[in-house]
Amino acid sequence: MIKKDEKRTRLKAKIRSKISGTTERPRLSVFRSNKFIYAQIIDDTVGKTLMQANDVKITKGTKSERAKQVGKMIAELAISKKMDTVVFDRNGFKYTGRIKLVADEARASGLKF
């Protein structure tokens, strides 16, 4: 029987084999834990995290509201560094709930996927 983490790890590897961030189009990777949500913009050509945002210090609001704030923060950081196009990496999670909220808010704030 396959455990949930093993299944997500396999799916993550399959997704990552198909997408890669470049200098022109870095990768926006989103990770969700039970309490928090994290977003990073990564340049895979040099293996470097360019910027990150998370909701660890945000104390007000529901998890969904905090996910929207993270999407807006990461988009504002990217646009301030003159990056307007990214490749979205859902990190093996289903594209629903908080993952979708981060992506939608980043798009609404000006990022293009």
Side-chain angles (χ1 to χ4, degrees):
M1 185 167 183
I2 299 174
K3 293 181 181 178
K4 198 172 192 177
D5 280 347
E6 292 174 7
K7 185 176 179 181
R8 191 180 74 80
T9 304
R10 286 183 188 175
L11 185 59
K12 179 180 173 180
K14 188 175 179 181
I15 292 167
R16 283 286 290 123
S17 69
K18 296 176 185 176
I19 64 170
S20 179
T22 63
T23 306
E24 297 82 30
R25 266 187 89 179
R27 176 170 55 101
L28 171 58
S29 178
V30 179
F31 176 78
R32 174 185 58 86
S33 71
N34 287 337
K35 287 186 174 185
F36 305 111
I37 193 150
Y38 307 85
Q40 296 180 341
I41 294 186
I42 303 165
D43 182 358
D44 288 321
T45 56
V46 292
K48 186 175 180 182
T49 299
L50 304 174
M51 58 203 71
Q52 64 87 26
N54 60 57
D55 68 340
V56 174
K57 294 184 180 178
I58 302 172
T59 57
K60 297 195 177 195
T62 63
K63 290 180 191 178
S64 297
E65 291 168 350
R66 294 192 323 241
K68 287 181 182 180
Q69 290 176 0
V70 169
K72 187 173 183 174
M73 285 190 301
I74 199 71
E76 289 171 354
L77 284 170
I79 290 170
S80 71
K81 302 271 184 173
K82 310 237 188 261
M83 293 178 205
D84 61 344
T85 307
V86 295
V87 178
F88 188 73
D89 177 10
R90 59 188 171 93
N91 215 356
F93 294 104
K94 291 182 180 179
Y95 187 76
T96 60
R98 292 187 286 153
I99 302 292
K100 186 176 186 304
L101 289 173
V102 170
D104 290 345
E105 193 62 35
R107 269 193 207 105
S109 298
L111 274 184
K112 296 178 189 122
F113 296 2

